[in-house]
């Protein structure tokens, strides 16, 4: 495991105070990568005041260099999370260079920050960490982090596949150590739909008291949803039995989609649901009042300086927005 402190701006910038848990949020930060080439498999930022219309930071160029954090020197699928303390941020990314093939992914990168500008990282290689069970892993796809309210710990979940003949992508999870530098224990099964199940995104909805798992099913076109009162199965019950699958499509299009990201709006009255229409060169943004009904807000062409692929968003404060603009600019 390699660790490195990434210094991306002046030291004085890192000393700026971070947000308090209940500080007002005024904008959204979008983290994403931009394509299937080494210069595009990088972490990029964009800002929005309404959650639907984004302006890329740093001229659309990367804000973190993949060759400084990843074993493959390329990363994809960034997921960002504001921690329960309100002032720490976790990001997890797929450690993968697509030019090596879609079965070349062996791990992930964990990143931690208190200012969204400077990031510490730990790269995790599954064949090295889990040589007996996952020595022949071919995919560790699209990791994400969520706080498990019952366990009182942060969970990272991701899709795993090996080169075994009967293997297909299933979602597994691991809890993370206290300093967010390593996974604890062996990967545990979380969910699959009976066929390849990838790009999982889980949010907790206080209104219904349920965890909502959004995922792409390779057994048919589209993004689907499953819900549960708990992230993990009840003691004594089969792993994965906690989820109830809903057959209705979440996506509101007939084109190929992947990389769903769900975020509660700043006012708390609705949810932003977005996904990558990767063969049609646009991102579709939807609005949902309850995570049951989804209405298209707009299709945003991925062109020019803004070409997002499979990303996620979080609300940010005015101070955080100002700090990002000072560090990276938004011209």
């Amino acid at each position: 495991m390699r660790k490195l402190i990434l210094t991306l701006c002046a030291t004085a910038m890192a000393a700026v105070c971070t947000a308090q848990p209940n500080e007002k949020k005024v904008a959204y930060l979008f983290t994403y990568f931009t394509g299937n080439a080494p210069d595009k498999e990088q972490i990029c930022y964009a800002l929005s005041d309404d959650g639907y219309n984004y302006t890329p930071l740093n001229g659309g160029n990367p804000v973190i260099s993949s060759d400084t954090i990843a074993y493959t020197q390329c990363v994809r699928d960034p997921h960002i999370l504001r921690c329960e303390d309100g002032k720490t941020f976790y990001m997890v990314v797929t450690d993968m260079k697509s030019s090596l093939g879609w079965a070349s992914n062996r791990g992930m990168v964990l990143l931690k920050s208190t200012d969204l500008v400077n990031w510490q990282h730990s790269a995790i290689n599954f064949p090295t960490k889990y040589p007996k069970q996952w020595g022949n892993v071919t995919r560790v796809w699209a990791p994400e982090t969520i706080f498990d309210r019952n366990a009182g710990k942060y969970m990272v979940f991701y899709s795993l596949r090996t080169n075994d003949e009967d293997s297909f992508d299933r979602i597994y999870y691991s809890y993370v150590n206290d300093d967010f530098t390593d996974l604890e224990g062996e990967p545990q099964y979380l969910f699959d739909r009976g066929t390849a199940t990838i790009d999982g995104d889980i949010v907790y909805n206080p209104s219904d008291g349920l965890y909502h798992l959004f995922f792409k099913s390779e057994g048919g076109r589209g993004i689907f949803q499953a819900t549960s009162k708990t992230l993990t199965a009840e003691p004594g019950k089969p792993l994965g039995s906690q989820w109830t699958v809903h057959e209705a499509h979440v996506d509101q299009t007939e084109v190929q989609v992947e990389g769903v990201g769900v975020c509660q709006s700043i006012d708390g009255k609705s949810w932003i649901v977005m996904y990558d229409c990767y063969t049609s060169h646009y991102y579709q943004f939807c609005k949902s009042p309850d995570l049951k009904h989804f209405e298209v807000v707009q299709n945003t062409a991925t062109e020019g300086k803004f070409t997002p692929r499979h990303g996620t968003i979080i609300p940010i404060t005015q101070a955080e927005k100002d700090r990002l603009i000072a560090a990276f600019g938004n011209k």
Side-chain angles (χ1 to χ4, degrees), residues 15-238:
V16 177
C17 294
T18 51
Q20 298 304 308
N22 297 319
E23 191 171 345
K24 182 181 178 181
K25 310 304 188 295
V26 301
Y28 299 85
L29 172 64
F30 189 179
T31 62
Y32 57 94
F33 77 107
T34 62
N36 299 330
D39 63 331
K40 299 180 182 298
E41 291 169 320
Q42 311 277 338
I43 298 170
C44 295
Y45 282 171
L47 291 179
S48 171
D49 290 333
D50 63 7
Y52 300 102
N53 297 281
Y54 286 84
T55 301
L57 293 178
N58 203 32
N61 297 311
V63 297
I64 300 174
S65 297
S66 297
D67 60 359
T68 66
I69 64 173
Y71 281 106
T72 63
Q73 299 187 326
C74 292
V75 300
R76 303 167 65 90
D77 320 318
H79 175 265
I80 190 167
L81 175 77
R82 183 188 296 273
C83 296
E84 296 293 293
D85 65 7
K87 59 185 180 180
T88 307
F89 301 91
Y90 292 160
M91 196 182 332
V92 284
V93 293
T94 306
D95 190 338
M96 178 178 169
K97 181 183 291 186
S98 61
S99 62
L100 298 177
W102 299 112
S104 63
N105 166 223
R106 303 291 183 268
M108 66 179 72
V109 183
L110 310 179
L111 299 106
K112 179 180 179 179
S113 176
T114 57
D115 62 9
L116 296 170
V117 177
N118 303 279
W119 292 87
Q120 298 176 329
H121 91 274
S122 300
I124 300 174
N125 181 270
F126 272 53
T128 301
K129 185 172 177 61
Y130 308 110
K132 292 184 178 180
Q133 185 178 3
W134 301 105
N136 61 343
V137 70
T138 57
R139 295 181 184 173
V140 188
W141 273 8
E144 296 201 1
T145 310
I146 189 170
F147 184 69
D148 186 335
R149 303 163 69 89
N150 288 345
K153 302 181 71 171
Y154 289 93
M155 169 193 289
V156 172
F157 55 96
Y158 41 87
S159 292
L160 282 181
R161 181 175 181 175
T162 67
N163 61 11
D164 295 326
E165 184 176 352
D166 60 347
S167 179
F168 61 87
D169 307 90
R170 296 176 170 92
I171 300 178
Y172 284 74
Y173 74 91
S174 304
Y175 289 111
V176 194
N177 63 1
D178 290 341
D179 58 2
F180 205 72
T181 59
D182 201 4
L183 306 180
E184 297 181 340
E186 293 280 340
Q188 300 295 313
Y189 171 75
L190 186 68
F191 175 80
D192 75 76
R193 202 175 182 229
T195 56
T197 304
I198 64 172
D199 295 353
D201 185 41
I202 304 176
V203 295
Y204 179 75
N205 185 2
S207 296
D208 59 19
L210 296 175
Y211 290 98
H212 292 249
L213 164 61
F214 298 84
F215 60 92
K216 179 183 179 182
S217 172
E218 298 284 50
R221 185 205 62 77
I223 293 167
F224 297 90
Q225 181 181 180
T227 56
S228 175
K229 292 182 179 180
T230 59
L231 280 173
T232 57
E234 296 180 16
K237 293 192 175 181

Side-chain angles (χ1 to χ4, degrees), residues 232-304:
T232 57
E234 296 180 16
K237 293 192 175 181
L239 298 179
S241 63
Q242 68 272 29
W243 298 104
T244 299
V245 176
H246 305 272
E247 294 300 327
H249 279 250
V250 171
D251 56 296
Q252 303 297 299
T253 178
E254 296 299 321
V255 305
Q256 293 295 320
V257 294
E258 65 181 13
V260 63
V262 182
C263 175
Q264 191 168 34
S265 62
I266 288 172
D267 63 12
K269 297 179 180 179
S270 62
W271 295 81
I272 299 167
V273 181
M274 60 185 197
Y275 36 83
D276 183 358
C277 301
Y278 60 101
T279 62
S280 301
H281 309 295
Y282 67 85
Y283 234 90
Q284 187 164 87
F285 290 85
C286 295
K287 185 176 184 179
S288 174
D290 53 11
L291 296 181
K292 297 177 183 177
H293 306 90
F294 306 91
E295 178 183 356
V296 175
V297 174
Q298 67 186 48
N299 295 334
T300 300
T302 52
E303 60 185 7

